[in-house]
Amino acid sequence: MSAIQKLALFACTAGLCLNTACGKDDDGPKTPGDGKGEGVIRLVTYNVATFRYDAENFPAPDRAYAAIGNFLKEIEADVVCVNEIDDGVPRTDGIDQPKHFAEVMGGWDYIFGPALDPHPTGGRYGEAAFSRKKAIAKDYVFLPQGVGTERRVMCVLEFDDFVFLATHLEHSNGAAHPGQIAVINDYVDNHYANSAKPIFLAGDMNARPESETIALYQQKWKVISATQQTFPANKPDRCLDYILAYKNDAKYQVVQSQVVRLSGSVKLNLVSDHLPVFTDIKLQ
């Protein structure tokens, strides 16, 4: 049995759908089979809690870098949104986590967006996007900070055939979300209004599927990820993590999407307080 087949997943159906997530209310355990299939790009979003969620099982300095890296390799990830990542922050040993994790992944390309620069204790903290394939352009843009909240950021990786955005909306309340979504939409409109490329947005949105935040997103975006619960990882009761596609004329297919609950080699309830989500797409 392959490593992929050893995954126990909460999944949607594996049937092929056009521009929509498949069977998002299906909670039955399924696997994605032996490999992704020809031409499939696997997009992943994962809030990794600075790789230090369980210090007892994953102590410093190794932490959960290898465990999460092995998991992403196991599921054959291609592009990954990583939420909550440090650069030079004392709590994570002063390590440049984006650079280090790119090395763990075997030299992947990446962009780091420093939402907090400086972090209150020193260093920088924010979000990142990683890719197996080298990007042709990289960027990040700051999102507006609500009253009493942290500044947020969106990272951008552009490829020859699609664009991948990674973000993390404010967690304390949803009051800052409309302004943050407006900046995301304005960036896409200003940079890709005339582009034929599919544009995908991933991250911890700190909002449930029925929330006003997701309804606001859906004015210009389509949720293409499974919406089973992703938080808290040890006993999930809400969906906070999503992958979306911009509503333009780009042609793509959604093959499947899954919230991963268990892995053959990694105890996902120990490495972070969020569960990872992936969506398989095919470009046309």
Side-chain angles (χ1 to χ4, degrees), residues 48-52 63 65 84-88 92 94-102 130:
V48 300
T50 64
F51 300 92
R52 65 182 182 96
R63 301 195 182 275
Y65 302 116
E84 300 190 7
I85 192 166
D86 285 344
D87 172 18
T92 47
I95 290 175
D96 182 339
Q97 288 191 324
K99 179 180 178 182
H100 179 66
F101 191 62
F130 296 83

Side-chain angles (χ1 to χ4, degrees), residues 15-86:
L16 190 65
C17 301
L18 179 63
N19 291 5
T20 181
C22 314
K24 292 184 288 187
D25 296 325
D26 179 8
D27 283 325
K30 296 180 178 67
T31 73
D34 190 7
K36 294 178 297 187
E38 185 177 356
V40 170
I41 300 171
R42 182 157 288 170
L43 311 176
V44 181
T45 185
Y46 201 176
N47 184 325
V48 300
T50 64
F51 300 92
R52 65 182 182 96
Y53 176 67
D54 188 337
E56 180 178 350
N57 286 284
F58 299 96
D62 296 334
R63 301 195 182 275
Y65 302 116
I68 291 175
N70 288 339
F71 163 72
L72 292 172
K73 294 172 187 176
E74 186 176 82
I75 67 166
E76 302 179 51
D78 290 302
V79 190
V80 185
C81 164
V82 170
N83 295 131
E84 300 190 7
I85 192 166
D86 285 344

Side-chain angles (χ1 to χ4, degrees), residues 187-254:
Y187 183 93
V188 172
D189 289 342
N190 291 334
H191 289 77
Y192 300 108
N194 298 317
S195 175
K197 296 178 181 180
I199 303 167
F200 303 105
L201 171 66
D204 175 0
M205 305 304 178
N206 277 307
R208 302 185 187 219
E210 68 277 10
S211 67
E212 293 181 4
T213 295
I214 300 303
L216 182 58
Y217 262 129
Q218 289 177 322
Q219 293 178 12
K220 291 198 170 186
W221 299 84
K222 180 178 294 184
V223 176
I224 60 168
S225 56
T227 54
Q228 285 86 21
Q229 294 86 348
T230 63
F231 179 87
N234 60 344
K235 195 175 181 181
D237 62 12
R238 72 203 79 168
C239 177
L240 300 180
D241 305 87
Y242 302 83
I243 300 172
L244 303 94
Y246 193 64
K247 293 179 179 179
N248 58 11
D249 293 329
K251 301 300 182 183
Y252 64 92
Q253 293 175 320
V254 175

Side-chain angles (χ1 to χ4, degrees), residues 97-212:
Q97 288 191 324
K99 179 180 178 182
H100 179 66
F101 191 62
E103 293 169 350
V104 168
M105 293 301 294
W108 279 27
D109 202 5
Y110 72 95
I111 177 72
F112 169 61
L116 297 184
D117 184 8
H119 184 274
T121 64
R124 306 184 298 168
Y125 162 82
E127 322 304 325
F130 296 83
S131 172
R132 181 191 304 274
K133 183 171 72 170
K134 186 172 180 60
I136 62 170
K138 305 178 191 180
D139 197 6
Y140 65 83
V141 59
F142 294 118
L143 307 183
Q145 179 178 353
V147 176
T149 66
E150 296 177 352
R151 185 173 69 176
R152 298 288 168 158
V153 70
M154 179 183 72
C155 297
V156 182
L157 289 177
E158 182 177 358
F159 305 95
D160 291 326
D161 45 6
F162 71 98
V163 180
F164 184 78
L165 313 177
T167 196
H168 186 188
L169 297 191
E170 169 56 34
H171 70 284
S172 60
N173 61 70
H177 290 180
Q180 292 171 346
I181 293 171
V183 170
I184 292 171
N185 289 341
D186 286 347
Y187 183 93
V188 172
D189 289 342
N190 291 334
H191 289 77
Y192 300 108
N194 298 317
S195 175
K197 296 178 181 180
I199 303 167
F200 303 105
L201 171 66
D204 175 0
M205 305 304 178
N206 277 307
R208 302 185 187 219
E210 68 277 10
S211 67
E212 293 181 4

